[in-house]
Amino acid sequence: KYKKETYRIIDQLNNPDKYAKFGIKEPHGLLLHGSPGVGKTTLANCVLEASGRKTFVCRKDVGNSYFPLEISNIFDEAERFAPSIILLEDMDKYANEDHFRKDAEEYVTIQACIDKVKDKQVFVVATVNDIKKLPESLIRAGRFDHVIEMKCPTGKDAEEIIFHYLKQKSYVGELNVKLIARLLEGRSCAELENVINQAATYAAFEESNQVEMKHMIKAILRIVFNA
């Protein structure tokens, strides 16, 4: 579901003329929100890479008094190198984690910057853990046209993610991925990866020739069920 929507967004960014004939303007932003570990940053990075645009990443790594200026500088640079794309990572942590500070200077600055680069071929992607901490004026359509709530993978999605992580490991035996996905139902992408890493650790410690189902079960019991 997430992939289909992001494919359309990327296609719109890469092929604007195809949409312009229908009178559709280029989208301004994509906001990905959900619990930590569900893959927001991974999906955001996929959008950045697939867009082929000059990328600018904003993380809160300076003091509060300097951060609004840092945000403004990043938007100025993105406008200068347009067409470009900006990633606002963990945007709900830009101001004090307080539901009553929705008019914080950081958020006001982002709103003003997004409005400033409208129709300047600057696309904004933001990742957020708790969307309730953000002012509604910031996340409304026109600033973030696409808002996607990401949840823990289930069913086929979970199986594909497990396959993806298993491909990164050497010496993997025949595993019942469908059963593993069912046992890990409702767990985040980060937890799926952690279980697979732990299973490989057990195999290596036992000097086994490959990661087997017994190692996966042991890792699930230890990490998920604390057994």
Side-chain angles (χ1 to χ4, degrees), residues 72-90:
S72 295
N73 289 340
I74 286 173
F75 272 86
D76 287 343
E77 282 291 288
E79 184 179 354
R80 194 158 68 89
F81 287 95
S84 59
I85 190 165
I86 297 172
L87 172 60
L88 303 175
E89 195 165 5
D90 290 334

Side-chain angles (χ1 to χ4, degrees), residues 15-218:
N15 303 289
D17 293 343
K18 186 165 85 172
Y19 296 86
K21 71 178 182 180
F22 288 96
I24 301 169
K25 292 184 178 180
E26 185 174 297
H28 299 111
L30 164 66
L31 190 148
L32 304 170
H33 71 101
S35 302
V38 294
K40 299 185 297 297
T41 300
T42 299
L43 185 58
N45 285 329
C46 289
V47 173
L48 266 57
E49 186 176 346
S51 75
R53 294 184 170 196
K54 176 81 172 171
T55 298
F56 298 87
V57 180
C58 181
R59 299 184 183 92
K60 186 163 186 182
D61 53 8
V62 295
N64 290 342
S65 58
Y66 297 100
F67 193 47
L69 180 59
E70 178 79 6
I71 294 169
S72 295
N73 289 340
I74 286 173
F75 272 86
D76 287 343
E77 282 291 288
E79 184 179 354
R80 194 158 68 89
F81 287 95
S84 59
I85 190 165
I86 297 172
L87 172 60
L88 303 175
E89 195 165 5
D90 290 334
M91 186 170 66
D92 53 328
K93 295 181 180 177
Y94 284 8
N96 288 347
E97 298 187 16
D98 183 341
H99 289 269
F100 301 102
R101 270 205 83 208
K102 292 185 177 182
D103 59 347
E105 186 180 357
E106 292 85 351
Y107 299 140
V108 173
T109 300
I110 293 169
Q111 288 181 189
C113 287
I114 290 175
D115 292 344
K116 180 177 169 239
V117 299
K118 270 185 180 178
D119 305 319
K120 300 274 181 76
Q121 290 191 295
V122 177
F123 188 72
V124 181
V125 181
T127 62
V128 174
N129 292 324
D130 187 354
I131 196 170
K132 293 177 182 176
K133 291 182 179 176
L134 301 176
E136 291 182 12
S137 58
L138 172 58
I139 60 177
R140 68 167 173 79
R143 292 192 173 115
F144 289 98
D145 310 289
H146 302 272
V147 178
I148 299 176
E149 181 182 6
M150 297 186 64
K151 299 180 180 178
C152 293
T154 58
K156 275 285 183 188
D157 289 336
E159 290 176 32
E160 288 184 18
I161 290 167
I162 290 166
F163 271 123
H164 168 73
Y165 288 134
L166 285 173
K167 276 192 233 173
Q168 299 173 10
K169 299 287 181 281
S170 303
Y171 308 111
V172 175
E174 290 188 17
L175 303 177
N176 187 337
V177 174
K178 190 179 287 290
L179 175 58
I180 295 168
R182 286 180 64 189
L183 291 170
L184 294 172
E185 184 83 21
R187 301 288 168 171
S188 70
C189 300
E191 288 175 298
L192 298 184
E193 184 178 19
N194 193 23
V195 165
I196 291 167
N197 284 337
Q198 188 62 42
T201 301
Y202 287 142
F205 180 73
E206 295 172 6
E207 299 184 7
S208 177
N209 291 325
Q210 59 188 9
V211 179
E212 299 175 4
M213 198 64 190
K214 65 178 183 180
H215 302 122
M216 291 299 306
I217 296 295
K218 188 175 180 181

